[in-house]
């Protein structure tokens, strides 16, 4: 039989192949599942069978949106900042600045997005996407299949995030 996990006022849940993220109305973030590559953001690679709070750089932040892919996770906060954690093998965490690093165990701020106010994020298997308050979409990570919406199809895109606007308006 199914039994509920008690987390006070959950408002968003996302599930990837190996882990789950739960965001509360108060802006807290919880994670459970396979900890390999730091995808849970709890500072270790241990598996969690019950949700635990994601802390580190998110300790005093109000998380407003979360996304999860097989090997990494993303969130944005009330101040518009974007945080990422997990595998960075294809530059999906930071646009290739440190691509090839096996993992980031704690959430870290994506400084290249600091000039933007991000309202939503999405996580693909090897890439990441952010939507800003002014309707701009930013993409980074693997572009082998053109998933970044750019003409270049390099395996890892090392371009600066702040210059990679692919659209100016989303209808």
């Amino acid at each position: 039989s199914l039994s509920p996990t008690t987390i006070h006022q959950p408002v968003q849940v996302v599930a990837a192949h190996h882990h789950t993220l739960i965001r509360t109305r108060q802006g807290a973030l919880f994670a459970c599942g396979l900890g390999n590559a730091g995808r849970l953001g709890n500072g270790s690679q241990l598996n969690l069978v019950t949700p635990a709070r994601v802390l580190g750089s998110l300790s005093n932040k109000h998380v407003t949106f979360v996304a999860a892919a097989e090997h990494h996770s993303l969130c944005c906060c009330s101040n518009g900042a974007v945080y990422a954690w997990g595998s960075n093998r294809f530059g999906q965490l930071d646009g290739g600045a440190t691509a090839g690093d096996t993992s980031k165990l704690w959430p870290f701020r994506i400084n290249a997005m600091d000039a933007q106010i991000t309202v939503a994020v999405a996580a693909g298997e090897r890439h990441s996407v952010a939507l800003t308050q002014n309707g701009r979409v930013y993409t980074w990570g693997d572009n082998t299949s053109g998933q970044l919406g750019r003409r270049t199809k390099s395996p890892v895109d090392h371009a600066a995030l702040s210059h990679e606007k692919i659209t100016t308006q989303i209808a």
Side-chain angles (χ1 to χ4, degrees), residues 66-130:
V66 295
E70 184 172 359
H71 300 291
H72 74 291
S73 302
L74 302 162
C75 74
C76 54
C77 297
S78 58
N79 64 355
V82 178
Y83 290 81
W85 59 97
S87 172
N88 196 38
R89 183 173 176 197
F90 300 96
Q92 66 266 46
L93 298 186
D94 61 6
T98 58
D101 283 359
T102 55
S103 61
K104 304 291 184 193
L105 302 180
W106 292 102
F108 73 97
R109 189 171 180 153
I110 301 177
N111 294 326
M113 291 296 295
D114 279 354
Q116 307 301 321
I117 297 174
T118 303
V119 295
V121 289
E125 183 179 341
R126 295 178 175 185
H127 71 290
S128 298
V129 183

Side-chain angles (χ1 to χ4, degrees), residues 12-89:
Q12 184 187 8
V13 294
V14 295
H17 190 73
H18 297 290
H19 69 294
T20 301
L21 300 175
I22 304 161
R23 180 178 62 88
T24 69
R25 183 175 316 284
Q26 295 76 23
L29 183 60
F30 293 82
C32 60
L34 184 69
N36 188 36
R39 69 189 67 163
L40 301 180
N42 65 358
S44 80
Q45 296 192 58
L46 298 175
N47 301 345
L48 294 174
V49 296
T50 58
R53 179 106 188 252
V54 178
L55 296 170
S57 57
L58 296 180
S59 294
N60 298 315
K61 304 292 187 290
H62 184 95
V63 176
T64 56
F65 203 90
V66 295
E70 184 172 359
H71 300 291
H72 74 291
S73 302
L74 302 162
C75 74
C76 54
C77 297
S78 58
N79 64 355
V82 178
Y83 290 81
W85 59 97
S87 172
N88 196 38
R89 183 173 176 197

